[in-house]
Amino acid sequence: MKEKINIVWLKRDLRTQDHDPLFFAEKDTLPYLIIFLYEPSLITYPDTSLRHLQFCYHSIKEMNNTLSSYRRNVIELYGEAISIFTYIFENYEVNKLLSYRESGIQKTWNRDKEIAKLCKEKNIQWDEFQRDTVLRGIQNRLGWDKAWYTKMNTLCRKNTYQEKENIKFENPYPLPVNFESSLVNYPKEYQPAGEKNGWKYLESFV
């Protein structure tokens, strides 16, 4: 019998606070996996650099330091989204997929349509939360300013965590050794990665 779970899919939202997908995954009674995908088709796209990937890698390390107190961690997978989700949906009874709605390049838009189709086929609810004031797929800007003010005046989400049942997951899509080794050494002259540094720089800015 397949284990019934939810999934939180992290994209560009590598933090433990002010995070809607994690907030609603915590409110649900089901255990959940937190995953981050290194997708080869996006890694090789011209708008992605090694520095971007290193920043993500080290931000996830900090997230895992925070989440370890609750027996939870972000699982990093290397592969195309459609292959990874097909595998997970075949091996678990997934109730919900929770993520932020991404606004990016055409490749991510096509990928998300592919994942949405797969979720529909498997009868899986995909909750996509609004990450910022970008509204994907709109035909015009009518009412955009009102939506902007509504979003900008929304209070920051206060996330809390509790220990939940640990999900057994053997990662069939591990990071290739050479790829991961290129992410480990993050130059000190770069902007420091991680949520704590993000808050630090925000506070100094304002």
Side-chain angles (χ1 to χ4, degrees):
M1 187 175 179
K2 295 180 182 178
E3 186 175 5
K4 193 169 186 179
I5 64 170
N6 291 327
I7 300 172
V8 173
W9 178 14
L10 302 180
K11 295 182 177 181
R12 305 182 187 191
D13 40 287
L14 302 176
R15 59 187 186 274
T16 61
Q17 288 299 320
D18 194 28
H19 201 293
D20 282 337
L22 287 171
F23 178 84
F24 286 100
E26 276 290 325
K27 283 188 69 175
D28 201 291
T29 56
L30 290 177
Y32 63 94
L33 289 175
I34 311 170
I35 64 173
F36 180 85
L37 313 184
Y38 294 92
E39 301 164 76
S41 61
L42 298 183
I43 289 171
T44 56
Y45 200 75
D47 71 341
T48 299
S49 71
L50 177 61
R51 181 172 178 173
H52 291 133
L53 300 170
Q54 289 172 327
F55 189 90
C56 291
Y57 181 82
H58 288 275
S59 295
I60 290 170
K61 294 305 177 194
E62 185 179 305
M63 282 188 74
N64 283 339
N65 285 337
T66 301
L67 294 170
S68 62
S69 300
Y70 309 100
R71 297 173 59 203
R72 203 166 289 124
N73 70 295
V74 179
I75 300 168
E76 298 169 271
L77 304 103
Y78 184 92
E80 299 301 340
I82 191 66
S83 298
I84 291 171
F85 280 111
T86 298
Y87 170 84
I88 295 175
F89 293 169
E90 286 177 351
N91 287 275
Y92 296 88
E93 184 182 346
V94 179
N95 182 49
K96 290 181 184 177
L97 172 62
L98 304 99
S99 75
Y100 275 108
R101 185 188 310 126
E102 186 167 359
S103 54
I105 58 176
Q106 186 69 36
K107 276 183 174 289
T108 60
W109 172 227
N110 292 339
R111 174 209 58 197
D112 284 357
K113 288 190 288 187
E114 213 175 8
I115 300 304
K117 181 182 178 183
L118 180 63
C119 286
K120 188 174 182 180
E121 290 172 357
K122 300 292 186 180
N123 198 30
I124 294 167
Q125 179 179 327
W126 185 7
D127 292 338
E128 289 186 277
F129 298 89
Q130 187 175 340
R131 182 173 62 98
D132 48 31
T133 57
V134 177
L135 299 175
R136 188 172 66 179
I138 60 175
Q139 301 300 310
N140 56 63
R141 293 173 65 85
L142 294 175
W144 182 87
D145 54 342
K146 292 180 180 178
W148 185 90
Y149 279 107
T150 298
K151 180 62 177 176
M152 295 305 292
N153 284 285
T154 302
L155 294 175
C156 289
R157 178 76 69 186
K158 176 64 177 176
N159 288 78
T160 58
Y161 298 91
Q162 295 180 340
E163 282 194 27
K164 287 198 173 185
E165 178 186 348
N166 199 21
I167 300 170
K168 292 181 180 179
F169 184 81
E170 292 190 12
N171 188 353
Y173 296 91
L175 275 59
V177 174
N178 289 341
F179 174 70
E180 185 167 13
S181 65
S182 72
L183 306 180
V184 171
N185 295 319
Y186 188 59
K188 291 183 179 180
E189 61 268 24
Y190 289 174
Q191 176 185 337
E195 183 176 24
K196 291 178 182 177
N197 283 308
W199 282 110
K200 176 184 174 183
Y201 283 102
L202 175 63
E203 289 169 1
S204 69
F205 177 78
V206 298

